[in-house]
Amino acid sequence: MADPAPSTAALPDRLEHILDAAFRAFATYGYRRTSMDDIAKGAGMSRSALYLHFRNKEDIFRSLAVRYFDEALRDMAAALNQPGQGLEAALMAAFVAKDGKFMEAVLTTPHGEELMDAGFSVTGDLAAAGEARMVEVLGDWLARRGVPEGLGTGADVAQAVMSAVKGLKLSARSLPEYRAGQARLAALFARALDQ
């Protein structure tokens, strides 16, 4: 198992630029066909300079996953705590924030399925930890709002919500279909919680 990548909360601009170039390369060529040369060219640097920052493309992909979860968690918390919005709007905003740029790339590029598979195989440990943190953020928010009797704790409901959203990710064939499914889930859970 690969070493967990460090948090990307305060990456220098140079590393952010490399990760942006890597994201574009993976979306364009897929995980398997993307080379360190592709990433280096996209970042405007030599391959040897790229190796000063990352060991290999797996290391870069894992760093992208860490950055994705850091951003998604931050954006989810902000979306849920936006003042003046109803429960359904808050859930939908959290779902969209949770996706970041990743689901758009998965559902709008020819290599989306391969990126999803690479996400499971290369970053499975990071994904499990990140998804657990997402459940925690949503669960804490639900607990503060209050969960109707008989539905369980905020953490229980958050786990059910996130499992349902994850199911959409695995079955959607397009971004509009995925967003429509998220909207249905937001409405469904909001109605159940708004008793």
Side-chain angles (χ1 to χ4, degrees):
M1 180 165 83
D3 294 331
S7 172
T8 61
L11 281 179
D13 289 343
R14 182 77 164 156
L15 293 180
E16 285 288 349
H17 184 66
I18 293 169
L19 291 179
D20 289 342
F23 184 82
R24 287 189 303 274
F26 288 130
T28 301
Y29 306 117
Y31 180 76
R32 287 186 301 271
R33 286 187 51 215
T34 296
S35 68
M36 291 294 274
D37 276 332
D38 296 324
I39 296 167
K41 285 178 188 169
M45 63 192 327
S46 69
R47 189 168 54 125
S48 58
L50 179 60
Y51 279 111
L52 294 174
H53 301 286
F54 296 98
R55 293 181 306 234
N56 51 37
K57 74 177 179 182
E58 179 181 309
D59 189 25
I60 294 172
F61 201 77
R62 289 178 62 78
S63 293
L64 277 169
V66 170
R67 181 173 77 168
Y68 157 73
F69 281 108
D70 286 349
E71 290 174 356
L73 285 159
R74 178 199 65 217
D75 295 347
M76 254 183 91
L80 289 168
N81 294 302
Q82 188 70 31
Q85 67 183 344
L87 184 56
E88 184 176 336
L91 287 172
M92 185 62 189
F95 295 165
V96 172
K98 175 197 79 59
D99 294 336
K101 297 181 286 188
F102 181 71
M103 281 309 293
E104 185 175 340
V106 165
L107 293 169
T108 61
T109 68
H111 304 287
E113 191 173 322
E114 181 189 346
L115 291 175
M116 186 80 80
D117 290 345
F120 291 129
S121 64
V122 176
T123 67
D125 59 326
L126 298 174
E131 289 170 2
R133 289 170 37 213
M134 288 178 172
V135 168
E136 187 177 314
V137 166
L138 182 59
D140 289 347
W141 178 78
L142 287 167
R144 286 192 309 274
R145 284 189 95 277
V147 174
E149 192 173 322
L151 292 181
T153 66
D156 296 333
V157 174
Q159 184 63 59
V161 169
M162 296 305 286
S163 294
V165 172
K166 187 173 185 176
L168 285 176
K169 182 170 37 172
L170 299 175
S171 64
R173 298 186 197 291
S174 69
L175 190 59
E177 178 186 331
Y178 179 65
R179 291 289 183 234
Q182 286 179 314
R184 280 190 298 277
L185 284 179
L188 176 70
F189 280 107
R191 290 176 189 158
L193 293 166
D194 203 20
Q195 297 179 7

